[in-house]
Amino acid sequence: MNKDIQTPPSSTLGMLGGGQLGGFFAEAALKMGYKVAVWDPSENAPAKRFATHKFNAPFDDAEILDKFVSVVDAVSLEWENVPVELVEAIQLKKPTRPGSRSLGLAQNRTIEKQFLKDNGFPLAQYQVIYSAKDLSGLDQELPWIVKTATMGYDGHGQWRISSTSEKDEVNSPIAGEGPWVVEQVVPFDMELSVVVARGIDGTSITYPATENIHENGILRMSVCPARIDPSIELSARHLAEEVINAIGEPGVFCVELFLVHPSKILVNEIAPRPHNSGHHTIDSFSISQYEHQVRTLCGLSIAQPRRIGNTVLLNVLGEEASVLSSIETTNLILKTGRARIYMYGKESVRPGRKMGHIIFSGENIGVLEKEALEALAIISRR
Ligand code: AMP
């Protein structure tokens, strides 16, 4: 579809995927005067709370595809496992940003790694294997992380191997369909993420690097700005922008990075969508990552957002959401005036599932972090 097409307010924007990211996109779009059509197999997907049109079918439903395309003026996505074939079909008819190129890269680790390598971006040493038996022949130094090439998220589809005997133990979990990426464990000091917005004219902006703290492979807390040297922060942003420029599609992206002591930065992965670590941009920047997703989709101006404050984000995971159904607990967290609670309206609870988040905003990151840790103790009953 014509790369230059612009989509004015009052048009209908299509969203593939109906999670919290799609929900925040929809809110931003509604505020700007757009309508939003959300397609997600789940009838109660969070983003459907804000949808003007709801499509509940699986992503391979050809009839719904025709209906969706007839309703929308432009399409974006919020989940990297939307089938590439679907995006290829839609982008023939309506502007789709990002498009199938970024999606194809992001949903297959082997293709993503090859792309990064071919373009000379720094990344952890890795090899691709096609059968569990290949593990025994690997000459890479231990420890490793074995990752499924597709459909991995939040630490699912990953196995850490620290000793030769563990090579045999993971044989059975990875006995399914390959390929797998076997990656060296990076002794990083910090995990960082950088959100990049790229307009239809090829100009781009980056948000400041965010520092991410994971628990069992799941994002637990994010601190923005990251507590790193300003020159390293600039390098991280520059690297992320270069990665997205190399893909060359408009949209909002996030590049996840490892910072290795003292100043080496490696690319971990690319998300072709706004990122959970970037929710804070709603509260602490003049333009949120979601508003930028609307702008890049519609061919509107993108602009360097102004920072309003510092933030610590705390994710509410799994059963922790039920603690927040009490007024007393909620008030305990809200009383400082620095906290805002966002719940996504997810009906089914799974361990580790992102159910909501709490943003602490202000100036002193030490104070914000302390309050976030206190809130964590409350919701996790630690
Ligand atoms: P991923 O799905 O690749 O983003 O991995 C999820 C999390 O696992 C990352 O955010 C890291 O905390 C950890 N991880 C992944 N790959 C590596 C690696 N090569 N070395 C160390 N930790 C890793």
Side-chain angles (χ1 to χ4, degrees), residues 109 124 145 147 155 158 160 183-186 188 191 214 217 256 258 268-269:
R109 286 188 201 275
I145 297 190
K147 301 180 178 179
Q158 294 193 5
R160 219 171 242 253
E183 210 174 287
Q184 215 144 52
V185 170
V186 176
F188 55 76
E191 290 191 71
H214 289 82
E256 295 178 26
F258 295 133
N268 177 27
E269 58 180 12

Side-chain angles (χ1 to χ4, degrees), residues 29 45 64 102 108 113 191 227 273 285 290 293 372:
I64 293 296
S102 8
N108 187 317
K113 298 266 184 211
E191 290 191 71
R227 291 166 286 188
R273 51 166 175 81
F285 281 87
Y290 302 104
Q293 188 178 18

